[in-house]
Amino acid sequence: TSLKATGIDFLKSQNTREHHTDGYNIKNLVVRRGQPFRVQVSLNRELSAADKLSLRFGIGENPTKIRGSLMSLKPEKAQDFNGWKISVVKKNGKECLLSVTSSPSAPVGKYTLNVKTGTNIYKPENGVIYLLFNPWCEDDAVFMADEAQRKEYVLNDTGYIYVGSPYSIYDRPWNFGQFEEFVLDACMYLLDKSKLSLSNRRDPVSVSRAMSALVNANDDSGVLMGNWSGNYTGGTAPMDWIGSVTILQNYYKTKKPISYGQCWVFAGVLNTVMRSLGVPSRCVSTFNSAHDTEENLRVDIYLNESGEKLNWMSLDSVWNFHVWNDVWMKRTDLPDGFDGWQAIDSTPQEQSEGIFQCGPCPVKAVREGDVYLPYDAKFVYAEVNADKVYWIVKKVNGKDKYIKVTTETQDIGKNISTKAVGQNKREDITLQYKYREGSKEERKSMERACSFIRPSGMVPRSGYATTVEERGMRINRPTVLHETVTKTGLHLEITNTEALHPGNPLELAITVKTSTPGNWTIDLAGSCQLQYYTGKVQANLGTIKETIKLEGRSEMQIPLKIAPDAYLKTLASVDDEVLILVTAIAEVKETNDKLTKETSMRFEYPPITVQMPETAKLNNDFSCAFIFKNKLNMALENCKLLVEGLGIFKMTTFDQGDIMPGRIMKSEVICTPTRLGEKKIVAKLTSNQIKGISAEKAITI
């Protein structure tokens, strides 16, 4: 009788354990490239020497050998097909155990497996195998040597995204959830949607660039619609997400963009996609990130005479924080020395090669100033290295006059942060992106970058500039803008003298210091505004104007107090978290010295407490309680509690209505753990007034 295959066992539990893919919640076999896996074929009779048996792996619509999309592997021939290998491990009666090793540079994606015996073809059910990048394989371009790093950057499905402002950084827990149901399928759908050629699917550089484009909905109806308007009707407000899972599942189900994202949501989802495909990835937050629209390494900020920032004039913006991703890979397409972390960004800011995509740009190229390298190195370099120039706009004879006040060369690209490996804390990676401010290497790198980016002369960039003080301001090629230095040793500090609880007055203070001998008369203007994290001002809350006298080395603290009524309406009218922006301008009468200083601060909120046991058993229910006491002097309206525990319970929302001052809210979830190990439960409370309260707790199953 002619030989026929009657069945195939994908030996899933053994293969997935060895390939570190046992976390994926999926029926099919998931393996990583360049590493052997085994399948057992059952036949209708024993294999004889004359029999022809082959395993056929096909990728794409209609696989062919010529295009390299069909691998026909014959165990009796020790041939190497496109880097794939097959061998017989053992024969036992009608059973045949085979070992298959895909090429370490095989295209990633879904492969259909058939067994061919003579002219018969056997097509198993669930015969689709998912092939991923392999950071455990030395010959794979994404190889990562350190096991603790692989655990964090590939296998950890929870983490933090750092937000806030340089002087008040806080963490937002985020569930990446790369192993949850349909998440890997969503990534495979994106790979198909990217229309990458087969050879580009081998290459993590092409794949990560394509994913940076597809995670935003611009150009290609990708995963997320960006929205920074403050109005999120018809979708979910960006602050309301606590992870990527719901976003990717809904996208896969509807094949339509999900509303709405802002930078940390884009970065959270892109992190999930890259880890899911097997590329080591991390979320990276940069504080005071420059969005420089002209690649001239300069951001202009315009203030009125009270020190209030003028939104409508600025073409550039400085975001309090911006989040992108680093992915780990060898760059065989570049000269030596640029392997390792590569920046990619899926927030739609600028087009690159006509599409909203960004990267991969070698982090080392940013540090060395090699901004001519692909991809988008100039843009990333400016994000972390631009200079900030402050201008005061005065009305003189009915015309706007621009006066340059301060140049800050060390204010952009602060405290670049990511979650530490194996620990729930922040790691500062600024020195991977740039040399120490003021060091010899930093100057060299800056000069190198400036030879490729042409910084413009010192003329205000406002689209509205009409008259400009030209005196000595036109520099042909400033490689280095100098910090503003004053004769009086003038120095400004901005602090809050009381905790910033919503519902209370904002008790702020501006400290003015001088440090050189002499009698100084100083005009001080101070303003307080509410702003989005993108630097856009939402409301003016109040200003002060004082003239103070200081002598020699001395200081004075000027209070700036804002009543709750000034900001409560704005707080309730926007669906974003807003920051308190305080700006001060000081002018010394005797010397004409001018100085500006700004600080962003965050409101402080009462905590959510999570109560549950420290350990639980697989498939045994336990209860988890969320408790919140409103310790503020104001009601929180329209409260929602969002909770999610990967491998424990699905995303759940509780509507809590209004929580009055002093009231306690308590909600409970019955949890059924389905996976072993340390799991995290994340909770988030949002209301009309406050968006940013979150908590998390770990439990060992």
Side-chain angles (χ1 to χ4, degrees), residues 161 163 172 174 215-216 224-232 236-241 247 258-270 319 321-324 345-349 532-534 536 574-578:
I161 296 179
V163 296
R172 236 173 234 166
W174 192 267
V215 164
N216 64 66
L224 269 169
M225 284 295 289
N227 183 343
W228 284 265
S229 71
N231 173 10
Y232 306 113
T236 302
M239 283 296 297
D240 289 2
W241 301 112
I247 295 171
I258 302 300
S259 306
Y260 292 106
Q262 288 178 2
C263 72
W264 70 92
V265 189
F266 287 109
V269 171
L270 185 53
W319 293 21
F321 65 89
H322 179 41
V323 195
W324 60 75
D345 191 346
S346 54
T347 298
Q349 294 191 96
Y532 289 135
Y533 85 97
T534 57
K536 190 175 129 205
V574 296
D575 259 339
D576 293 275
E577 186 172 31
V578 284

Side-chain angles (χ1 to χ4, degrees), residues 159-174 239 262 264 285 287 320-321 323 415 417-419 424-426 533 576-579 600-605 684 690-695:
Y160 302 102
I161 296 179
Y162 293 93
V163 296
S165 62
Y167 308 106
S168 60
I169 296 175
Y170 65 103
D171 58 46
R172 236 173 234 166
W174 192 267
M239 283 296 297
Q262 288 178 2
W264 70 92
S285 302
F287 293 89
N320 288 99
F321 65 89
V323 195
N415 307 5
S417 304
T418 190
K419 179 188 172 301
N424 291 334
K425 61 178 208 202
R426 185 176 76 86
Y533 85 97
D576 293 275
E577 186 172 31
V578 284
L579 292 145
S600 299
M601 304 178 211
R602 172 177 187 246
F603 284 104
E604 294 169 45
Y605 312 121
K684 178 167 219 165
I690 291 178
K691 312 288 177 263
I693 307 180
S694 53

Side-chain angles (χ1 to χ4, degrees), residues 487-613:
K487 303 184 188 67
T488 45
L490 187 58
H491 185 69
L492 295 171
E493 263 170 31
I494 298 166
T495 48
N496 50 309
T497 48
E498 290 292 323
L500 300 168
H501 293 305
N504 289 5
L506 307 181
E507 312 251 359
L508 307 160
I510 300 168
T511 307
V512 185
K513 299 181 178 179
T514 51
S515 60
T516 53
N519 287 315
W520 309 114
T521 315
I522 297 156
D523 284 333
L524 178 72
S527 79
C528 181
Q529 296 172 299
L530 288 182
Q531 72 162 6
Y532 289 135
Y533 85 97
T534 57
K536 190 175 129 205
V537 172
Q538 189 54 35
N540 296 327
L541 304 185
T543 58
I544 48 163
K545 258 197 161 55
E546 299 247 346
T547 300
I548 56 178
K549 291 196 179 332
L550 288 177
E551 192 178 335
R553 194 182 196 88
S554 57
E555 62 176 73
M556 190 183 279
Q557 195 178 67
I558 308 297
L560 168 56
K561 188 171 170 173
I562 306 291
D565 294 352
Y567 66 81
L568 284 180
K569 228 193 194 75
T570 306
L571 223 49
S573 71
V574 296
D575 259 339
D576 293 275
E577 186 172 31
V578 284
L579 292 145
I580 301 156
L581 170 71
V582 185
T583 313
I585 306 176
E587 196 167 339
V588 184
K589 286 214 166 124
E590 289 78 6
T591 60
N592 227 353
D593 280 343
K594 291 185 189 62
L595 191 62
T596 54
K597 172 92 183 167
E598 65 170 7
T599 300
S600 299
M601 304 178 211
R602 172 177 187 246
F603 284 104
E604 294 169 45
Y605 312 121
I608 301 172
T609 316
V610 184
Q611 285 181 348
M612 63 179 181

